[in-house]
Amino acid sequence: MHIKNSKRIVALGVLAAISLTGCAAGGSGGSASGDAAACAPSDGKVDLTYTSWIPGIDKVVDIWNKENPDVQVTVQTGPNGNGGTYKNFFNQLSAGNAPDLGQIEYDALPNFRVQDGLTNIASCKNVTESKDDFIDWTWNQVTFGEKDSVYAIPQDTGPMAMYYRKDLFEKAGIPVPTTWDEYAAAAKTIRSQGGYITNFPQNDVNWFAGLVWQADGRWFSNEGDKWDVTLTSPESEKVADYWQGLISTDLVSKVPAWTDEWNNAYNTGSDWTWISAVWGANSISSGAPDTSGNWAVAPMPQWKAGENKAGNWGGSSTAVLKGSKHPYEAAQFALWLNTSDEALTALNKEANLYPATKAGLKLPVLSEGVDFYGGQKIYDTFATAANETNSDFVWGPTMTQTYGDVADGFGEVLGGSGTLTDALKTGQKKTIDALDAAAIPVNK
Amino acid sequence: MTQISAGAPKEKLASRTAAMIVMGISTLYFLVPIWWLFIGSTKSREQFSSTAGLWFADFNLFTNIGDLFAYNDGVYLKWMLNSIIYASFGALLGTLFAAMCGYALAKYRFPGRELIFNTVLGGVLVPATALALPLFLIFSQFNATNTFWSVFLPSIVSPFGVYLARIFAAASVPDELLEAARLDGAGEVRTFFSVSRRLMTPALVTIFLFQFVAIWNNFFLPLIMLRDQTLFPVTLGLYTWNSQVNQIPEIRTFVIIGAFLSIIPLIIAFLSLQRFWRGGLGAGSVK
């Protein structure tokens, strides 16, 4: 049932997207710049709607509702963004009944911006001023580098590090890799002992993008009026060549991520490391319960010894959607939700969200040792990583399509034909075609 | 002669064995996933990924059910109740309308009859999924999205039910019987409810079951229409949870056990209604 339906969702979503782009291209020119001017409080009692798929978000919003009787927020929910909520947003935007606020991941924000689905809240009280509260790279994601523009408030991030089996590394006498060269050398030793250092996931293309991000690569940029697509940039190809080498020599496993087989590979100790985001801590502890206490977290391996660079995988923002009648109140709520200690603590407790604010990284809950990781204060490593993430990475407006096309190429590589670089080349071409087809200006 | 009589049973045996094998394989094909689901429902989260998928580990079924019902203030029970309401009332009304429409098309002569029937028949070919987005835009005009009615109203329409009811009414409700009823002074409505409806019962049960299952499994319409999770049917609720499993792995147990429990009402509906599934009640009753 689900497979059939999801195909239809995709088909319909594409239709909806195309028709919307048509509208946006025709009618957005006038409204885009004029928004920032007016952002005044509304009179009387205000009711806002907020759509988010975070489990338990209603309990966090309850705190706000108790403290702000005049601005009541109703939580609406649904599946995660790509599971249907983004398509719903676009449908609702075209029907004129979108919620006031919506959860949007960083990699989907440009799509909403291009289709004119967001309200510029830069002139709302305290919004522009809060820039320095947030981790540098997140602010660029919500402003798109445009002047006098803020389109969303950063909510959470996914700084990356290396989870590894401390006990196995010690037993095998392998030093913890600090560079990618050492990582590849460790992979060989581990393989000779019958294990794999990690797996290469076909479908987590945004994971791969996180690695490119760490290597200071970019997949998109938008200087001036046109998009540049650079999936095949030298940095990107460097990362591709590196993993291609590991795949070709059978040093990484091909088990698909997020499956029982994958969990089992970690649970039985046949996979030794996972380069992953902060939220992956829970994936391991629930997928590999038998290995409790044996894991540790170290910074990502570096391309040059002595460097300190990290990538990011995931994270989302709270955006004020187009058509909201109360942008002022919506912006105040979004700021409270994503900067106040009480909200950030509650979000972390309910849904393990990792804050996007600098102060949030120092929350008491994030400075405790975690038993599953041998009592290590793992969040210290991620806090450092969050601040070492390059601020210039930009997502494109058609990420769902890009992910799909690159994942298809990755699948072929794991099946034994082609290379990761080929996959990126195909992704590059198809992304340019898709942008072109959606009438989004792009350099060919 | 001896050759033929020796050959026939052998051939019979061979073809019967072949048929049994095909049946056996398809039975397995349909039942193994349910078995897997049941086994998965009985396991704790730790044992779910670390023990064999098709056999029991520690039996935690009731603990799991308790946890599921308690999670998020018991929202799962609300979803189940919603599904039952959408499906049973939707199917009941849908069956009634389909029966009346099909009966009228079969038994009355009026201009445009075939046109109406062909239009309805064309509706069978349009998948419900394709109508979800237009329906959303229409309901938006009335500010009626994200309401009970936005899912319920589209559910009571069943073109296939109309088709089935017409075919069945034509075949099993004899015109002579209607004549007799009219002669006895019964109005058309009374004739329909007290005579024709009874004769059409097997078809109505079929339509009801089809419609019940269709509404129960309908996922795309609620996905597009609903944002308030207290209105969700169980399919959408489980899908919503399942989409968060990567980041909140704890939910996975709930998705498994929730999926298992959600098929039980369907099984009950089938088992309790199939005894009405007797064809040709009226056939041969007149002459």
Side-chain angles (χ1 to χ4, degrees):
Chain A
M1 176 194 75
H2 281 167
I3 294 172
K4 219 180 182 177
N5 276 322
S6 65
K7 266 189 192 157
R8 285 183 182 147
I9 296 171
V10 172
L12 275 171
V14 169
L15 265 181
I18 290 170
S19 58
L20 266 169
T21 320
C23 302
S28 68
S31 63
S33 52
D35 286 337
C39 183
S42 308
D43 295 330
K45 191 168 175 287
V46 171
D47 288 310
L48 298 173
T49 48
Y50 169 40
T51 300
S52 164
W53 56 88
I54 300 168
I57 188 80
D58 42 341
K59 298 197 174 61
V60 185
V61 173
D62 282 348
I63 305 175
W64 164 274
N65 283 341
K66 273 197 198 101
E67 293 169 6
N68 297 275
D70 290 338
V71 182
Q72 291 292 298
V73 180
T74 308
V75 172
Q76 304 178 327
T77 189
N80 67 14
N82 287 320
T85 293
Y86 293 151
K87 273 143 208 161
N88 282 351
F89 282 163
F90 283 123
N91 291 339
Q92 291 152 5
L93 283 165
S94 70
N97 57 7
D100 295 283
L101 297 127
Q103 178 182 1
I104 301 180
E105 288 154 295
Y106 299 116
D107 55 0
L109 272 176
N111 193 12
F112 282 88
R113 174 72 191 109
V114 164
Q115 302 198 29
D116 199 25
L118 306 173
T119 299
N120 186 353
I121 51 171
S123 61
C124 298
K125 195 178 121 194
N126 293 339
V127 170
T128 317
E129 292 80 355
S130 70
K131 176 181 187 229
D132 293 333
D133 293 344
F134 291 95
I135 293 168
D136 297 341
W137 71 264
T138 62
W139 198 253
N140 284 354
Q141 300 285 318
V142 298
T143 60
F144 309 104
E146 294 174 30
K147 242 186 123 188
D148 299 328
S149 297
V150 180
Y151 289 96
I153 302 295
Q155 180 159 65
D156 68 309
T157 65
M160 293 169 83
M162 179 176 71
Y163 297 93
Y164 67 101
R165 282 291 297 274
K166 196 173 186 211
D167 57 329
L168 296 179
F169 271 82
E170 275 169 8
K171 209 171 130 210
I174 308 171
V176 178
T178 57
T179 65
W180 286 112
D181 285 340
E182 289 175 18
Y183 190 77
K188 269 186 202 142
T189 318
I190 292 168
R191 192 71 196 102
S192 69
Q193 302 195 2
Y196 281 107
I197 193 158
T198 192
N199 74 317
F200 187 87
Q202 181 199 339
N203 290 313
D204 291 333
V205 177
N206 43 5
W207 167 83
F208 188 84
L211 299 178
V212 175
W213 193 335
Q214 186 216 11
D216 289 332
R218 292 166 75 167
W219 276 5
F220 293 88
S221 50
N222 187 359
E223 313 291 341
D225 298 332
K226 283 190 168 179
W227 286 87
D228 268 315
V229 185
T230 49
L231 264 66
T232 50
S233 66
E235 296 85 2
S236 188
E237 290 196 357
K238 175 171 77 176
V239 177
D241 289 344
Y242 177 84
W243 287 91
Q244 182 65 49
L246 295 180
I247 295 170
S248 306
T249 48
D250 188 35
L251 294 179
V252 290
S253 96
K254 295 172 182 172
V255 170
W258 313 108
T259 58
D260 289 336
E261 206 185 350
W262 178 74
N263 279 331
N264 212 35
Y266 283 115
N267 202 30
T268 56
S270 82
D271 276 5
W272 289 30
T273 75
W274 188 29
I275 311 288
S276 181
V278 58
W279 44 263
N282 260 25
S283 312
I284 302 183
S285 59
S286 71
D290 295 350
T291 59
S292 178
N294 297 335
W295 288 84
V297 177
M300 279 176 93
Q302 301 293 316
W303 288 103
K304 273 195 204 121
E307 277 183 345
N308 291 304
K309 288 179 176 171
N312 182 78
W313 181 14
S316 52
S317 67
T318 310
V320 180
L321 293 172
K322 200 84 181 179
S324 167
K325 292 190 182 70
H326 310 289
Y328 176 89
E329 286 77 11
Q332 300 315 308
F333 169 74
L335 279 174
W336 172 85
L337 182 67
N338 298 315
T339 60
S340 74
D341 278 359
E342 54 182 345
L344 292 177
T345 308
L347 284 171
N348 183 269
K349 179 171 159 274
E350 295 292 338
N352 301 313
L353 289 199
Y354 192 70
T357 59
K358 290 169 186 162
L361 302 183
K362 302 185 182 93
L363 286 181
V365 283
L366 295 177
S367 34
E368 289 162 11
V370 182
D371 289 344
F372 188 86
Y373 298 90
Q376 187 190 352
K377 294 180 176 176
I378 59 169
Y379 294 106
D380 291 352
T381 310
F382 290 106
T384 315
N387 285 310
E388 291 169 354
T389 305
N390 189 318
S391 303
D392 297 329
F393 193 85
V394 176
W395 294 108
T398 57
M399 288 320 297
T400 316
Q401 163 271 321
T402 305
Y403 288 154
D405 285 326
V406 175
D408 286 349
F410 283 3
E412 283 176 24
V413 174
L414 296 178
S417 66
T419 64
L420 296 179
T421 311
D422 292 341
L424 291 176
K425 279 183 185 149
T426 314
Q428 165 93 4
K429 190 180 163 299
K430 293 204 169 169
T431 302
I432 292 176
D433 290 348
L435 289 171
D436 215 26
I440 300 168
V442 57
N443 284 319
K444 287 176 209 168
Chain B
M1 218 178 84
T2 43
Q3 269 177 339
I4 295 169
S5 62
K10 229 184 208 171
E11 198 176 65
K12 223 176 165 185
L13 192 72
S15 66
R16 196 191 276 176
T17 316
M20 287 307 277
I21 289 174
V22 172
M23 298 272 275
I25 289 173
S26 34
T27 309
L28 274 181
Y29 178 82
F30 287 111
L31 288 186
V32 166
I34 295 176
W35 176 249
W36 181 89
L37 200 56
F38 173 63
I39 295 294
S41 308
T42 66
K43 288 181 182 174
S44 67
R45 187 151 58 81
E46 288 75 23
Q47 290 180 333
F48 180 74
S49 58
S50 56
T51 57
L54 292 176
W55 198 246
F56 295 99
D58 297 342
F59 195 80
N60 280 310
L61 180 63
F62 298 106
T63 329
N64 286 346
I65 292 179
D67 289 349
L68 170 73
F69 288 176
Y71 182 70
N72 206 342
D73 305 327
V75 74
Y76 179 81
L77 287 173
K78 178 79 187 142
W79 293 342
M80 279 295 265
L81 187 68
N82 289 342
S83 272
I84 290 170
I85 292 173
Y86 289 130
S88 48
F89 288 97
L92 210 61
L93 277 180
T95 308
L96 178 68
F97 293 148
M100 292 168 92
C101 185
Y103 173 77
L105 288 169
K107 291 295 161 193
Y108 299 108
R109 310 262 172 275
F110 54 90
R113 186 174 78 136
E114 287 311 308
L115 181 70
I116 293 178
F117 182 64
N118 288 334
T119 313
V120 171
L121 208 56
V124 176
L125 300 176
V126 182
T129 330
L131 297 175
L133 196 53
L135 280 171
F136 172 80
L137 295 174
I138 293 170
F139 274 86
S140 293
Q141 301 282 320
F142 302 100
N143 287 327
T145 60
N146 196 26
T147 59
F148 169 80
W149 301 106
S150 65
V151 172
F152 184 76
L153 287 180
S155 299
I156 60 179
V157 180
S158 168
F160 183 67
V162 174
Y163 167 77
L164 215 61
R166 177 186 167 154
I167 301 291
F168 201 83
S172 69
V173 183
D175 287 337
E176 294 87 338
L177 209 59
L178 297 182
E179 273 318 304
R182 279 176 198 135
L183 283 178
D184 288 344
E188 294 300 326
V189 175
R190 180 159 174 215
T191 311
F192 171 73
F193 279 105
S194 51
V195 179
S196 312
R197 182 189 57 81
R198 282 163 208 240
L199 292 170
M200 288 167 70
T201 302
L204 298 188
V205 171
T206 310
I207 296 170
F208 179 85
L209 275 178
F210 268 116
Q211 193 63 2
F212 187 89
V213 174
I215 300 173
W216 190 276
N217 286 342
N218 191 358
F219 158 76
F220 197 61
L221 184 72
L223 171 70
I224 283 195
M225 289 287 187
L226 301 179
R227 293 183 248 166
D228 179 352
Q229 70 167 356
T230 58
L231 292 173
F232 284 7
V234 71
T235 43
L236 178 58
L238 288 176
Y239 175 78
T240 302
W241 278 355
N242 195 40
S243 76
Q244 289 148 3
V245 162
N246 281 5
Q247 298 205 8
I248 318 278
E250 295 83 354
I251 300 182
R252 187 158 182 192
T253 326
F254 299 143
V255 175
I256 302 271
I257 180 95
F260 175 69
L261 293 183
S262 78
I263 58 177
I264 291 176
L266 287 183
I267 296 174
I268 292 175
F270 261 92
L271 292 185
S272 57
L273 287 177
Q274 70 177 2
R275 68 195 180 90
F276 297 103
W277 225 333
R278 272 171 284 149
L281 256 187
S285 66
V286 182
K287 284 165 193 167

